[in-house]
Amino acid sequence: MEATLVELRPITEDNFVDAFNLKLAPGQEEFVSHPVRSLAQAYVYRNQCQPFGIYADDKMVGYVLVIYDYDIPEYDIWHMMIDESEQGHGYGGTAFDQVIAYIATKPFGGSDRVALTVNKNNPIARGLYERRGFAATGWEDDDEVELAMTVK
C-alpha cells in the first residue's frame, strides 16, 4: 500500500471554498473556530499570517494558520483542524511537523519562540503538541492553556 502524501499548501482564491467546507466532529466546536472566521482573521493579518490547507494527496483535509506577532515577537499557530471524516489517520501530526519546519525558516521575522493555545478539554491536541516539544508556559484563561517551544 502506497503512503499518503500529506502537505501544506497556501490557501488562496483557488481553494478557500474547500476550507469553508471542512467540518469539525461533534463536540469539537469549542476547540477551534470555524474556517470562515479563521480565514477572515488571516485576511485581516495578511501581512504577518500564512493560512495553509492541509492536503492528503490532492484533497484538503484540514487547515492551519501561522501568524507572526511582531509585538512579542513570536510565531503563533492558530486554528489547526482536521475534517471530522479525516481524523485518526495521522494527518494532523504530519502537518504539524511541517508547520514547525516552515516556522524554522523564519518567513516573517527572526523569533525562535513558537506559541499556541489549547483548550483544557482537548487532551488529544495537547498530547500532540507536547510530544513535539511544546510545554506549558503558565499562562491560562478560563478554557485555554498556552504552550510554547523554541525552534532553531
Side-chain angles (χ1 to χ4, degrees):
M1 177 180 250
E2 191 172 317
T4 301
L5 174 65
V6 177
E7 63 183 336
L8 301 177
R9 295 182 192 169
I11 294 181
T12 67
E13 65 185 82
D14 296 323
N15 63 0
F16 75 93
V17 173
D18 293 335
F20 289 173
N21 292 324
L22 296 169
K23 304 279 189 253
L24 293 166
Q28 292 180 333
E29 298 84 6
E30 70 178 299
F31 301 152
V32 66
S33 296
H34 188 278
V36 172
R37 179 171 185 230
S38 296
L39 291 179
Q41 288 177 309
Y43 176 77
V44 169
Y45 296 109
R46 65 190 167 276
N47 293 327
Q48 65 197 75
C49 182
Q50 177 60 63
F52 288 108
I54 300 168
Y55 283 80
D57 293 325
D58 283 322
K59 178 181 178 186
M60 187 184 293
V61 298
Y63 73 90
V64 62
L65 277 62
V66 173
I67 188 164
Y68 192 73
D69 187 331
Y70 288 97
D71 294 330
I72 293 178
E74 72 181 10
Y75 284 90
D76 296 319
I77 301 171
W78 284 5
H79 308 297
M80 183 169 171
M81 67 89 69
I82 301 294
D83 185 86
E84 67 176 333
S85 67
E86 302 294 342
Q87 294 178 14
H89 301 290
Y91 301 149
T94 301
F96 196 79
D97 293 342
Q98 292 176 19
V99 167
I100 298 302
Y102 170 76
I103 290 171
T105 70
K106 312 282 194 273
F108 294 106
S111 180
D112 294 332
R113 180 179 157 88
V114 183
L116 54 82
T117 60
V118 62
N119 188 288
K120 293 176 182 177
N121 297 319
N122 193 350
I124 293 172
R126 185 170 181 161
L128 172 85
Y129 306 145
E130 289 175 341
R131 285 190 302 276
R132 282 157 173 82
F134 281 78
T137 65
W139 180 90
E140 296 184 13
D141 74 6
D142 291 339
D143 60 354
E144 300 271 320
V145 175
E146 182 183 61
L147 306 176
M149 71 175 293
T150 301
V151 296
K152 295 294 179 191

